[in-house]
Amino acid sequence: MEVEEVACVAYLYARVVRKRKKNRKYWVHPLLSDRSTKGLFNLFYNDLRKYEDKFFNYLRMSVSSFDELMEQLQDDLTGQQTNMRECISPLEKLVVTLRYLASGCSFTELHHEYRLGISTISGFVTQVCEAIWNRLKDECMPQPSTQMWLEIANKFETFANFPNCIGAVDGKHIRVIKPTDTGSLYYNYKHYFSIVLIGICDANYSFVSIDVGAYGKSSDSSIFKESMFYKKMMNNSLNIPNPKPISTLNSEPMPYVIVGDEAFGLSENIM
């Protein structure tokens, strides 16, 4: 390539790069610079705490539960202060994230209400969710023990008159924006894009185990059979209690089962 051609290519490339760059009118937008005085968190949060019912309605969590969660996440959510910009407090990060999860509103809506950048919200929502999972997964969804299964079975028999039941399983499509370059992988039979959550719950509607993130096009049955829970169940490593009779009238031992719809099929521990 001649020197003149190299110069022309370099010039054209520089022009393309310049066009791609957007001129920033503000380092911090004036709307966001007033966050400390006019943002929703500073105007609303302290008053909201005074009314337990309104607090629960807004964040889907009681004040005491919120405080307990905040205490556990404090260290994980504390950022480093700099001379350039004031760090967002762990408390505000948690409030905004819980509001996002409770309402399903967009980052743009939170951006205008709390006067935070959209990319900033996107970043710390992910941070908060990861911190919640890492801190609480072993406490909220531990590996079930035999005693835990027996307690769940006792509650199913008490509340639903269903003996030897240790859980209920079903799938839920969670709507998403189509990921790029994925074709129809996330397009489900309900005609929208989604990922799938397979959940197993106890008699109190609390999760015992989850598998989340499968393609929307996949069926509940195929996702369940690929899950770690199912593989452990097939390997008899879930500590499921030994079969026992379901009544005094029937002395034949019956296995403990998880109930689901016809999509999951029948096996020794699936009904």
Side-chain angles (χ1 to χ4, degrees), residues 211-264:
D211 183 282
V212 64
Y215 297 133
K217 74 177 185 63
S218 303
S219 66
D220 289 351
S221 178
S222 62
I223 298 170
F224 184 58
K225 288 182 178 179
E226 290 297 321
S227 69
M228 185 60 66
F229 184 92
Y230 183 85
K231 292 174 182 177
K232 287 186 175 182
M233 185 173 67
M234 293 295 101
N235 294 332
N236 296 318
S237 58
L238 278 180
N239 304 314
I240 295 176
N242 294 323
K244 77 172 184 62
I246 61 174
S247 72
T248 56
L249 302 177
N250 185 356
S251 59
E252 181 181 355
M254 303 294 288
Y256 284 84
V257 297
I258 296 170
V259 294
D261 59 28
E262 65 275 8
F264 293 94

Side-chain angles (χ1 to χ4, degrees), residues 66-207:
F66 177 87
D67 291 342
E68 182 180 344
L69 181 61
M70 185 70 260
E71 184 178 354
Q72 296 200 47
L73 301 181
Q74 182 78 37
D75 294 339
D76 296 328
L77 303 184
T78 301
Q80 186 175 0
Q81 293 281 10
T82 67
N83 294 327
M84 297 292 293
R85 188 173 298 175
E86 182 181 356
C87 187
I88 301 169
S89 69
L91 187 61
E92 186 169 3
K93 289 179 181 178
L94 184 58
V95 168
V96 174
T97 300
L98 291 178
R99 180 57 184 167
Y100 171 69
L101 297 174
S103 66
C105 60
S106 67
F107 289 156
T108 302
E109 182 177 341
L110 294 171
H111 154 72
H112 288 110
E113 291 180 348
Y114 287 88
R115 302 202 178 205
L116 292 163
I118 294 176
S119 60
T120 301
I121 295 173
S122 173
F124 71 65
V125 163
T126 301
Q127 178 194 14
V128 174
C129 290
E130 289 178 350
I132 291 173
W133 174 254
N134 292 330
R135 287 281 182 178
L136 300 180
K137 62 180 178 180
D138 293 330
E139 179 180 343
C140 296
M141 282 192 292
Q143 171 77 24
S145 63
T146 301
Q147 182 59 37
M148 179 179 169
W149 288 128
L150 291 173
E151 291 173 0
I152 293 174
N154 181 61
K155 289 181 180 178
F156 268 108
E157 187 164 8
T158 300
F159 299 146
N161 197 27
F162 196 142
N164 286 23
C165 180
I166 55 173
V169 61
D170 202 2
K172 169 68 177 177
H173 285 276
I174 302 169
R175 189 185 295 267
V176 298
I177 297 173
K178 178 183 178 296
T180 56
D181 301 323
T182 57
S184 60
L185 287 175
Y186 291 90
Y187 195 70
N188 64 42
Y189 73 97
K190 299 182 179 182
H191 307 299
Y192 60 84
F193 295 96
S194 68
I195 59 174
V196 181
L197 164 70
I198 298 291
I200 298 171
C201 295
D202 62 17
N204 293 322
Y205 308 104
S206 298
F207 283 125

